Amino acid sequence: VINGDVFTVMSAYNSINGIPCSADHFLLTTLLRNRWGFRGYVTSDCDAVNNIFNTHHYVPTLPQAVALAMQAGCDLNCGKVMPRYLGAAVGEELVSEADISRAVMRLLTVRVLLGELDPPTRVPYANISFNVVDSPAHRSVALQAARESIVLLKNVNNFLPLQKSQLKTVAVIGPMAGQCHLGGYSGSPFVKISPYDGIAEALGVKIPDAAARKPRPKSGQPVVVFKPGCSELGPKDETMFAEAVDAAKNADVVIMVCGVGEKVDSEGQDRTDIKLTGVQHELIQACYQANPKTVLVISSNNTVAVNWEQEHLPAIVSAIFAGQAQGTAIADVLFGDYNPGGKTCCTWYKSVDQLPNFHDYDISNGRTYMYFDGRPLYPFGYGLSYTTFRIGDLQLDSKELSETKAVKISCTVENTGALAGAEVVQLYIAAPKSPVKRPIKELVGFQRVELQPGESRKITFTLLYTAQALWYWHESQRKFILQPGRLKLTIGNSSSDMALTADIQLRACSNAKLGGPETLDALAVPVAVS
């Protein structure tokens, strides 16, 4: 909000400290506008104003819900409640003409700034040709984004990348192999490349009828056999299952593509477990028993617990929501045309048993890498490469962090392998002991570094006194405050693999009592870390 000077904020469905967000004057006015200097308009999440009444039961009537939202600072209602009940709220004198005028002014301001009331000739973006949509340049961006998002989770004895010249028959198996898996808000791209399509194309196999999945290899080219083996949800179809296992048995390598999609979880529909659905686990095990040269590609809505697969399969690749070019990107990784450098963006748990109750939204009760003290399947920030890296030579320009002195933290990253690749160097902190529970560690900076074999590079993080991870929320003061003391720094290539550690002293503000907390509001600088 501060650094980006955003002009629109959405108020959430949930409540904080018992107050629905869309009805919280402190959140939407005191904090957002008065403290953070927000100049734009607030819109509710869809039906969040309605929820003030019928879900949170915070007020007894819908006109009261509408009035409370508007007076709190919610200017626009995504939904039908405000248009239907604002008149009643006015009639009951719950809102004033000034309240409505303030909201209307904010909404019209952004429309004026966007040029909606100007002639098209005066609006630069109104003259952009539709030809930019699905242009070669944008397709290239989609492909590169897909490549960089792919995470190599396991690769025993350099099983990957696969050598095309050594393959005569490739079995592509799994319910997600034949679909370009997109999320609920992904839109409808003109190009949708499934994992199977990308793999077949990478091997030079032309697919004249993608729907029929009948490849026509040229003489001397590998044969790519596609057998889904099962559906995403099951139950087991003996014929489909047997065909897939037979294909695996007769292939040089098996590429399993499994996961869960919109049928399993989507907006308004939650998963009941984090395992693969249907008989996918059984299919993977059967194909592996038929052919141990099996790699698993996870194309999924979210993380999945693939414990058996992690223990037995030689290689696992994650391609979650890789977009329209996912098939090409997956093939590029599998066959070594692209060296993966992606990292997990959340913790992969082994089972729901490692998580608190589903309705417990307090992350400090063991959720996320910040508070989870168990051993996950894959930690936050984790990801392998086809090359190797060394992180060393830690240097600090100061052993103290104060409001007048940021700390520069430097290290050297070296590509110690034989291939060019990218490493993501991550800086974490553990804040001084405070009256409230603090994270075990918290990410405060990361840098992606691309290096040639043998190349090394020095990178520097600047830790500011205003880094949000240093501060915690004080309930009674209703402010972020800081606890001075020993601050632990760690640098590594995941949240669980730390190569470098150091301690510095986090100082109190000059106008604070020695050893006491200080408020973030006292500093005339924005919250930031670079």
Side-chain angles (χ1 to χ4, degrees), residues 275-290:
K275 298 176 182 176
L276 289 170
T277 51
V279 296
Q280 293 185 77
H281 285 295
E282 182 182 352
L283 178 65
I284 294 169
Q285 293 179 29
C287 289
Y288 173 78
Q289 295 298 329

Side-chain angles (χ1 to χ4, degrees), residues 51-110:
N51 293 159
I52 297 171
F53 162 71
N54 73 5
T55 304
H56 292 287
H57 307 295
Y58 192 70
V59 292
T61 68
L62 282 168
Q64 286 177 302
V66 167
L68 197 59
M70 180 164 285
Q71 290 168 349
C74 184
D75 307 300
L76 183 64
N77 169 214
C78 176
K80 300 178 180 179
V81 170
M82 197 171 279
R84 286 180 177 175
Y85 293 93
L86 185 56
V90 171
E92 296 175 25
E93 298 184 349
L94 300 175
V95 293
S96 67
E97 182 176 342
D99 294 329
I100 297 173
S101 296
R102 182 179 63 242
V104 170
M105 182 66 71
R106 292 168 178 168
L107 296 171
L108 287 177
T109 297
V110 72

